[in-house]
Amino acid sequence: VDDAANVFYSSEPIENSKYILVGSHMDSVPLGGNFDGLAGVLAGFLILSYISKNKINLSLPLKVVALRGEESAWYGRNYIGSKSIFGLLTKEDLNATHRKTGEKLSKAMQNCGVDLNKIRSATSLINKESIELFIELHIEQGPVLEVEGVTIGAVTGVQGISWTELTVTGESNHAGTTPMALRHDSGFAAAAISTYVRELSVEMGGSQVATVGRLELHPNLVNVVAGSAILTVDLR
């Protein structure tokens, strides 16, 4: 286990020589499926087992990795484990706060035994220059393969991801006594943005997708015109 709590396993000692890295991550997007990431970690162990049982000699040794915090949706920061390996973890990453509890990511990591003094260069078990090849089996979290009747697919490209948080400021007023023409309704504006995001992605076509996944109205009361709205737009 390295300083970022990434977990590595090898069936034989690996010095500073080149090697193949196989694996994925331990965490999952909320409601993203129990096998998101973990299937790729298990695949690495199955490969090691197959190699051992069949006495196969590889030109390069094999190491399995289980990365931490790769899809930390609650903190709005991704790739925590892999960033640490490559020395790319920033103070902004560590200062990210949990969307519900407000707890800093750094505090949560400390509670898990992470040494924050070492976290930004967590290379105690791995030399990034030694990774000759990285292989990851991953479950498709969408319906495409199932709908098309395809058992397995090879990735030929990756998604470019853009996350944007928007704050709409209007004016809170009584829902019964404020005429429609005099309203500054943040909820209406947020709904219009959400609808437009959907229309735009359909208009662009191809592989373009767009999602408004979080919407918060204030004061969030049934009989009050919303004075402010916060929403997120996920473009890929």
Side-chain angles (χ1 to χ4, degrees), residues 21-156:
L21 192 61
V22 180
S24 192
H25 54 95
M26 286 182 273
D27 60 299
S28 176
V29 172
L31 305 180
N34 294 335
F35 302 107
D36 170 35
L38 286 175
V41 178
L42 180 59
F45 285 109
L46 290 174
I47 292 170
L48 278 179
S49 175
Y50 184 86
I51 290 171
S52 176
K53 288 180 180 179
N54 292 277
K55 295 180 171 56
I56 297 173
N57 293 318
L58 298 179
S59 58
L60 290 173
L62 189 71
K63 180 182 281 193
V64 179
V65 62
L67 298 164
R68 292 278 189 178
E70 290 297 281
E71 300 191 24
S72 307
W74 287 120
Y75 291 92
R77 295 280 172 170
N78 289 337
Y79 318 125
I80 301 301
S82 53
K83 274 184 177 180
S84 68
I85 292 173
F86 286 89
L88 298 175
L89 205 58
T90 66
K91 289 183 179 179
E92 288 73 19
D93 291 324
L94 295 174
N95 286 332
T97 56
H98 194 285
R99 295 196 179 280
K100 284 192 174 181
T101 66
E103 181 184 45
K104 282 190 176 183
L105 178 59
S106 57
K107 180 63 175 177
M109 296 178 80
Q110 277 185 311
N111 291 340
C112 294
V114 172
D115 186 343
L116 293 180
N117 294 322
K118 300 178 180 179
I119 183 64
R120 294 185 65 184
S121 58
T123 55
S124 57
L125 289 183
I126 189 167
N127 179 4
K128 62 184 179 183
E129 305 298 335
S130 298
I131 304 173
E132 181 70 17
L133 186 69
F134 176 69
I135 303 172
E136 178 179 12
L137 179 143
H138 206 286
I139 284 181
E140 183 203 19
Q141 291 172 273
V144 177
L145 292 181
E146 182 177 5
V147 169
E148 296 187 356
V150 179
T151 302
I152 193 169
V155 175
T156 57

Side-chain angles (χ1 to χ4, degrees), residues 151-172:
T151 302
I152 193 169
V155 175
T156 57
V158 295
Q159 291 181 323
I161 303 177
S162 168
W163 283 358
T164 305
E165 182 179 270
L166 305 173
T167 300
V168 182
T169 303
E171 184 178 22
S172 290

